[in-house]
Amino acid sequence: MSEIKPNDKGSSEESAEEQDWAAAKAAFDNLKSNKPRPPKPKNAVTIAVSSRTLFNMKAERKIFEEEGLEKYVAFQQEHENEPLKPGPAFPFVKALMNVNTQLRELYPDNEELFDIVLMTNNHAQVGVRLINSINHYDLTIERFCMTGGKSPIGYLKAYLTNLYLSKSADKVIQAIDEGIAAATMFTPDTEQELSDTQLRVAFDGDAVLFSDESEIIVKQHGLDSFFEHEKAFENKPLAQGPLKCFLEALGKLQRKFYAKNERLNCPIRTFLVTARSAASSGARVLKTLRSWGLEIDEALFLAGAPKGPLLQKIRPHIFFDDQMFHIEGATELGTISAHVPYGIGQKYHKGKLIEQPKKKE
C-alpha cells in the first residue's frame, strides 16, 4: 500500500512546482471570493468520489443502460438546471467540508485539509449538470476528472488520491490493486440523522485496516486455531490492510486539533467495529495500532454479534467492511456503508464458501 502521499520528484521539479503554486496563490488572493482556495494536492488528504456516489443518479443510469449513451447525454443536458439529489457519499463530503472549516479557523494558512475531487467516467457534456448540482448544494469541489466513458482509475495516482469511493466494484478492485484505499458505496434502506459538527468514520479491522492473514486462519482452520494463533503472535503487528493509510491520514488531521488543545472538540472521530472477541483476540489489534503510532477513538469488539445495531447508535458518515453480509446488515438499519473487496472474505458469504467459477482450460 502507498504512503499518505507519494513523493518521488526531483528537487528541481519540486522547486518549479512550488513557484507555480506560489503564483497561483498570489493570483487567487488578489481575487475577491468567498470560496476558500483549494489546498496543494501534495499537502491535502484527497478524497475522490464518483458522480454516482455523490449524487443519486439511478434514473439517469437506467436511461444509459436501457437507451444508450446518446439518450443519456441528451437527458442530462435537457435537465442540467435541475439539481441532482444527494447520493450515499453526500453526507460524508459535507462532513469533510465542516472539518476543513474548523481547520481553517485554527490554522488560517493551513493547507493540510481535505480536498474532494469528482472522479467520473461521465462525458464532459454532462459536466454542466454536475457543476450546477455542486453549486446548488454549495459544495467545495473544484477539481474534476471526467474521462468520457474511459475508466478513471489511471488518474487516481496523478491526483494523489488517499481514498476513492465508487459505485463500481470493478473500479474499486482496480484501485486497491494499484495500492489506493478504495471502497464500493451502498445506499442505506432508511435515512438516519447524522452529526453536522463531527465527521464519524467506522472501520472493520481484518482485511480493512489490517491484512487478511488472521481471517485466513479462521476460514481455513476454525476459531480455536485462530485464537491460538493470535495469542502466539500477540506482540507481532499485523500487516497493513487497504484502509490503513486513510486512518493514518485522518489521524494526521486529528493531531492538528490536539496541538491546539482541542482534543475534546475534535470534529473527527474514528471507530473500530470488529467481529473479534476482545479477550481472545483483541490485544493484537490494539498493539498493532499502537505500533503504527495510530489512535482509534472507540474500539468495539462484538465477538461475532451483528454490527448493524451498534452502527445504528454510532451513526457514522461512512462504515468500511470487507464482508458483504455486514454491509447488508448495516444498510438495512440505516448506516451508509462501503464495501472493501479485499482478502479471503470475498470467497465467503455468511461463513460459507462461495462456489467459484471453473477456470477455462
Side-chain angles (χ1 to χ4, degrees):
M1 296 295 157
S2 61
E3 298 300 324
I4 291 182
K5 285 294 177 189
N7 190 356
D8 54 4
K9 296 181 179 178
S11 57
S12 61
E13 191 174 345
E14 274 193 359
S15 177
E17 183 182 349
E18 289 296 329
Q19 291 174 9
D20 290 343
W21 273 103
K25 180 181 184 299
F28 192 97
D29 290 344
N30 286 331
L31 299 173
K32 291 183 178 180
S33 174
N34 292 323
K35 282 192 174 289
R37 177 172 52 84
K40 294 179 185 177
K42 73 174 186 178
N43 295 332
V45 176
T46 300
I47 312 297
V49 295
S50 74
S51 56
R52 289 199 294 138
T53 61
L54 184 59
F55 298 116
N56 182 338
M57 300 179 70
K58 287 182 179 178
E60 290 79 4
R61 182 71 179 179
K62 186 177 181 181
I63 292 170
F64 172 75
E65 291 175 347
E66 294 181 359
E67 301 181 42
L69 176 61
E70 300 306 319
K71 292 283 188 182
Y72 166 79
V73 171
F75 179 88
Q76 295 283 33
Q77 290 177 326
E78 289 167 9
H79 294 81
E80 63 185 23
N81 292 320
E82 298 174 18
L84 292 157
K85 293 180 181 179
F90 189 93
F92 178 60
V93 167
K94 292 286 284 186
L96 299 177
M97 290 170 54
N98 173 62
V99 174
N100 280 355
T101 298
Q102 295 191 51
L103 278 169
R104 286 190 171 102
E105 289 174 358
L106 291 176
Y107 302 90
D109 297 320
N110 174 57
E111 289 207 331
E112 292 182 11
L113 302 161
F114 290 111
D115 188 20
I116 302 137
V117 176
L118 188 69
M119 186 74 60
T120 174
N121 61 357
N122 261 301
H123 287 254
Q125 295 94 318
V126 180
V128 173
R129 191 178 191 197
L130 294 172
I131 290 169
N132 287 345
S133 298
I134 283 168
N135 288 333
H136 172 79
Y137 296 109
D138 197 25
L139 302 179
T140 307
I141 303 178
E142 300 294 348
R143 295 202 291 158
F144 277 38
C145 179
M146 293 180 284
T147 59
K150 302 295 183 182
S151 173
I153 300 304
Y155 289 99
L156 291 175
K157 284 189 175 179
Y159 275 82
L160 302 183
T161 302
N162 292 94
L163 175 68
Y164 171 57
L165 299 174
S166 175
K167 276 281 192 177
S168 168
D170 290 340
K171 291 188 181 72
V172 166
I173 291 170
Q174 291 172 38
I176 290 175
D177 288 344
E178 291 291 320
I180 295 167
T184 312
M185 292 210 72
F186 289 84
T187 304
D189 295 349
T190 58
E191 287 189 17
Q192 287 195 106
E193 186 175 339
L194 303 176
S195 173
D196 57 5
T197 59
Q198 186 179 65
L199 168 65
R200 297 185 174 193
V201 183
F203 299 90
D204 178 31
D206 296 293
V208 175
L209 292 179
F210 316 115
S211 73
D212 66 340
E213 60 179 91
S214 296
E215 204 159 279
I216 290 173
I217 293 171
V218 174
K219 296 292 191 289
Q220 296 183 346
H221 303 289
L223 273 176
D224 288 339
S225 294
F226 165 70
F227 293 146
E228 292 172 7
H229 178 270
E230 293 305 284
K231 187 65 178 175
F233 291 94
E234 180 179 310
N235 295 312
K236 181 182 178 183
L238 289 153
Q240 73 179 58
L243 269 291
K244 181 256 189 177
C245 285
F246 181 54
L247 176 63
E248 190 174 11
L250 292 177
K252 183 180 177 183
L253 295 185
Q254 282 180 309
R255 286 191 292 275
K256 295 186 75 66
F257 289 95
Y258 303 164
K260 295 286 188 177
N261 200 29
E262 292 288 332
R263 180 181 284 266
L264 295 179
N265 298 316
C266 181
I268 303 172
R269 193 160 186 84
T270 56
F271 302 80
L272 173 66
V273 183
T274 173
R276 282 179 177 244
S277 305
S280 304
S281 57
R284 190 180 185 195
V285 163
L286 299 178
K287 288 183 178 182
T288 296
L289 291 170
R290 185 192 302 164
S291 74
W292 291 346
L294 298 181
E295 296 183 30
I296 200 89
D297 293 306
E298 298 188 30
L300 306 176
F301 293 88
L302 303 187
K307 296 183 179 183
L310 268 295
L311 290 164
Q312 200 173 28
K313 299 297 182 184
I314 295 170
R315 299 192 177 192
H317 293 90
I318 192 166
F319 162 59
F320 297 100
D321 202 291
D322 68 302
Q323 307 263 9
M324 271 307 301
F325 74 92
H326 286 312
I327 297 292
E328 291 162 0
T331 55
E332 284 173 7
L333 295 180
T335 296
I336 300 170
S337 302
H339 180 236
V340 182
Y342 174 82
I344 193 172
Q346 309 317 302
K347 297 180 180 179
Y348 291 79
H349 185 70
K350 296 184 179 180
K352 295 182 179 180
L353 184 65
I354 300 170
E355 187 174 339
Q356 302 297 307
K358 294 180 179 180
K359 293 182 179 179
K360 295 180 180 180
E361 296 182 356

